[in-house]
């Protein structure tokens, strides 16, 4: 074999090896980018779920303020509780809808689909207690057990939803960390070839 053929052959082998390493690095970068996007969406879903959970408790506070204000004959307190309930209900529904619209895992979507009707039932129950408190305190107090049941049913569903999202966050964090380490390995190989 001639020296010229050997040099050209070695050059081609080097080009093929560099292309392979570059291709693997590009593929890994694309996977890393996808994993980061999944991780961001999952963290956003967790944030929306936590915000919704805060509204769950805030609505309960609005109902309690309504009952207290009705007992004291405090019209301003009832009006404030009604205004707050509207705001918290809208925020609750918005966060649940935005979370469901995210590209989240099928498990979380399934749980969220079961949670959404419970959110509506809970809000309806809270509004019912407020409406009754405007007319008749005894009727409003009689509706509290139904409201408490709606609160507890939703609380259990929200807890299950939060746990599922948290598991996804952990899984995507692990996946992203592993892909980042692999990407760093190929970057180091590229750096060695460049020198």
């Amino acid at each position: 074999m001639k020296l010229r053929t050997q040099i050209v052959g070695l050059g081609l082998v080097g080009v093929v090896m560099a292309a392979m390493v570059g291709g693997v690095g590009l593929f890994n970068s694309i996977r890393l980018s996808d994993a980061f996007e999944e991780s961001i969406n999952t963290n956003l879903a967790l944030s929306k779920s936590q915000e919704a959970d805060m509204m769950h408790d805030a609505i309960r506070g609005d109902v309690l303020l309504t009952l207290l204000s009705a007992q004291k004959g405090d019209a301003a307190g009832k009006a404030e509780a009604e205004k707050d309930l509207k705001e918290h209900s809208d925020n609750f529904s918005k966060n649940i809808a935005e979370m469901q619209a995210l590209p989240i895992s099928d498990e979380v979507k399934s749980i969220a689909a079961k949670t959404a009707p419970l959110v509506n039932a809970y809000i309806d129950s809270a509004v019912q207690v407020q409406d009754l408190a405007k007319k008749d305190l005894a009727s409003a107090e009689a509706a509290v057990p139904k409201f408490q049941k709606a609160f507890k049913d939703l609380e259990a569903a929200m807890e299950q939803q939060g746990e599922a999202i948290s598991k996804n966050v952990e899984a995507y964090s692990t996946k992203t960390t592993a892909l980042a380490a692999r990407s760093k390995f190929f970057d180091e190989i590229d750096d060695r070839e460049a020198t």
Side-chain angles (χ1 to χ4, degrees):
M1 205 187 256
K2 293 184 179 179
L3 182 59
R4 180 176 182 205
T5 306
Q6 289 176 345
I7 291 173
V8 169
L10 285 173
L12 287 174
V13 168
V15 167
V16 168
M17 291 299 289
M20 285 176 50
V21 169
V24 169
L26 177 62
F27 175 72
N28 211 26
S29 293
I30 291 169
R31 285 180 53 192
L32 183 61
S33 175
D34 290 346
F36 275 128
E37 189 172 327
E38 289 171 354
S39 183
I40 288 168
N41 286 329
T42 304
N43 278 305
L44 188 55
L46 181 61
S47 173
K48 297 284 179 196
S49 180
Q50 289 172 336
E51 178 81 16
D53 195 35
M54 286 190 285
M55 295 304 104
H56 174 241
D57 291 327
I59 288 172
R60 186 179 188 187
D62 298 335
V63 168
L64 294 175
L65 179 60
T66 297
L67 293 171
L68 179 65
S69 298
Q71 287 172 350
K72 292 184 171 189
D74 180 6
K78 284 194 277 189
E80 180 185 343
E82 194 171 330
K83 179 181 129 313
D84 287 348
L85 177 61
K86 172 79 172 112
E87 181 182 313
H88 295 145
S89 297
D90 290 346
N91 194 341
F92 199 171
S93 298
K94 179 182 122 222
N95 277 291
I96 292 292
E98 287 176 357
M99 185 193 70
Q100 288 178 303
L102 291 169
I104 50 181
S105 75
D106 290 340
E107 178 191 9
V108 174
K109 280 187 182 186
S110 173
I111 294 169
K114 293 174 189 172
T115 303
L118 295 174
V119 170
N120 294 333
Y122 177 61
I123 291 171
D124 290 346
S125 182
V127 169
Q128 180 187 23
V129 171
Q130 279 195 339
D131 288 346
L132 289 170
K134 290 178 191 175
K135 305 169 200 160
D136 178 30
L137 178 59
S139 297
E141 288 173 345
V144 169
K146 180 182 173 190
F147 172 75
Q148 275 300 106
K149 182 179 178 336
F151 176 85
K152 288 183 186 210
D153 291 347
L154 181 56
E155 184 173 45
M158 297 280 297
E159 186 176 325
Q160 185 181 15
Q161 177 179 285
E163 287 171 3
I165 293 170
S166 292
K167 277 196 264 183
N168 283 346
V169 168
E170 289 173 25
Y172 286 127
S173 293
T174 301
K175 180 180 176 182
T176 304
T177 301
L179 287 170
R182 194 174 305 141
S183 180
K184 184 178 178 186
F185 171 75
F186 285 109
D187 285 346
E188 289 171 1
I189 290 174
D190 286 343
D191 290 345
R192 280 189 226 136
E193 285 185 356
T195 55

